[in-house]
Amino acid sequence: GESVGLHLPTLSVQEGDNSIINCAYSNSASDYFIWYKQESGKGPQFIIDIRSNMDKRQGQRVTVLLNKTVKHLSLQIAATQPGDSAVYFCAENRAGNTPLVFGKGTRLSVIA
Amino acid sequence: DTGVSQNPRHKITKRGQNVTFRCDPISEHNRLYWYRQTLGQGPEFLTYFQNEAQLEKSRLLSDRFSAERPKGSFSTLEIQRTEQGDSAMYLCASSLGTGRGGYTFGSGTRLTVV
């Protein structure tokens, strides 16, 4: 079936290191992707998005890479900080008026 | 505007009781979404509105669930005859147009059915 999923359910990194969170999607009709961060007790918070006509987009300390050939999305966080500890979700939006579909999430733990 | 507001933040109810949650979206956002999230899972889509029209409902939304957005502003989600399986975080989000640029989520209402 069609799904949005993640390779790694948990990720632990040392403070200051770079983090890479991966996501696989299976629907080639998906043309828009978002990474969300969710801290305990809060709703998901938008981090960065990318459209399918791009393969890379950079924000402040974050970069999203999109590989449409293998249907893979990644979020790179540079110089990971304790405040980055959270669960990260990728979400896809298929063409048209369909709502966002979320994957299961990866928990990022930053070790001080 | 302080973002998307959801009330109550927490609700504990006995099995079989009815509950109602409220969501106040960002005022200029015409779309409003309801999602459900259980522990360790990503948010699952329930339903969404464009202005006052309910445009899509998930198969997850059983007959016991009903959502309204009567004036195209705030929305309510009611669950009748609650079951223990309804225990979850209920998230509301809003967007301008189709949401390209992302949805803004509220902090959710955590429902516990005992």
Side-chain angles (χ1 to χ4, degrees):
Chain A
E2 299 171 349
S3 66
V4 174
L6 295 171
H7 295 306
L8 298 173
T10 59
L11 179 66
S12 295
V13 298
Q14 292 286 338
E15 181 179 359
D17 287 351
N18 296 334
S19 303
I20 299 176
I21 301 172
N22 296 303
C23 176
Y25 66 97
S26 58
N27 189 343
S28 58
S30 295
D31 63 351
Y32 179 66
F33 304 88
I34 304 178
W35 280 101
Y36 278 91
K37 172 186 180 183
Q38 187 173 27
E39 296 174 285
S40 182
K42 297 183 179 180
Q45 177 186 5
F46 175 94
I47 301 173
I48 191 168
D49 61 358
I50 189 167
R51 296 176 186 262
S52 60
N53 61 353
M54 303 172 68
D55 53 21
K56 180 179 181 179
R57 190 160 189 231
Q58 289 184 293
Q60 186 177 10
R61 284 201 306 117
V62 295
T63 301
V64 55
L65 299 178
L66 176 62
N67 186 330
K68 294 181 288 294
T69 302
V70 295
K71 298 186 180 66
H72 184 267
L73 191 70
S74 69
L75 176 70
Q76 300 178 0
I77 304 173
T80 312
Q81 302 169 0
D84 295 326
S85 293
V87 178
Y88 290 80
F89 295 97
C90 66
E92 65 177 307
N93 186 219
R94 294 150 198 180
N97 289 322
T98 57
L100 284 175
V101 175
F102 285 79
K104 290 186 177 180
T106 292
R107 180 173 298 280
L108 176 65
S109 295
V110 181
I111 304 166
Chain B
D1 199 334
T2 56
V4 177
S5 176
Q6 291 189 247
N7 288 288
R9 289 297 310 276
H10 304 275
K11 178 70 176 179
I12 300 174
T13 191
K14 292 183 177 179
R15 188 175 51 188
Q17 297 294 306
N18 300 342
V19 295
T20 301
F21 310 141
R22 177 178 170 125
C23 172
D24 288 89
I26 292 174
S27 56
E28 60 266 29
H29 285 183
N30 59 339
R31 288 199 173 186
L32 185 149
Y33 310 83
W34 285 99
Y35 282 79
R36 181 172 69 187
Q37 186 176 29
T38 53
L39 194 63
Q41 302 295 317
E44 297 173 297
F45 169 74
L46 293 178
T47 188
Y48 87 94
F49 294 83
Q50 179 165 297
N51 300 314
E52 66 275 9
Q54 189 172 16
L55 296 189
E56 187 173 339
K57 293 192 290 186
S58 163
R59 287 171 293 176
L60 293 175
L61 212 67
S62 76
D63 291 344
R64 297 184 297 105
F65 288 68
S66 62
E68 294 183 341
R69 195 184 184 197
K71 298 182 179 179
S73 57
F74 74 92
S75 175
T76 57
L77 177 68
E78 181 183 17
I79 309 174
Q80 295 182 326
R81 305 180 303 282
T82 52
E83 301 173 356
Q84 287 188 322
D86 297 331
S87 295
M89 175 75 84
Y90 289 84
L91 292 164
C92 176
S94 67
S95 73
L96 188 61
T98 59
R100 296 296 168 101
Y103 301 171
T104 301
F105 280 85
S107 294
T109 294
R110 178 163 296 283
L111 173 66
T112 302
V113 182
V114 297

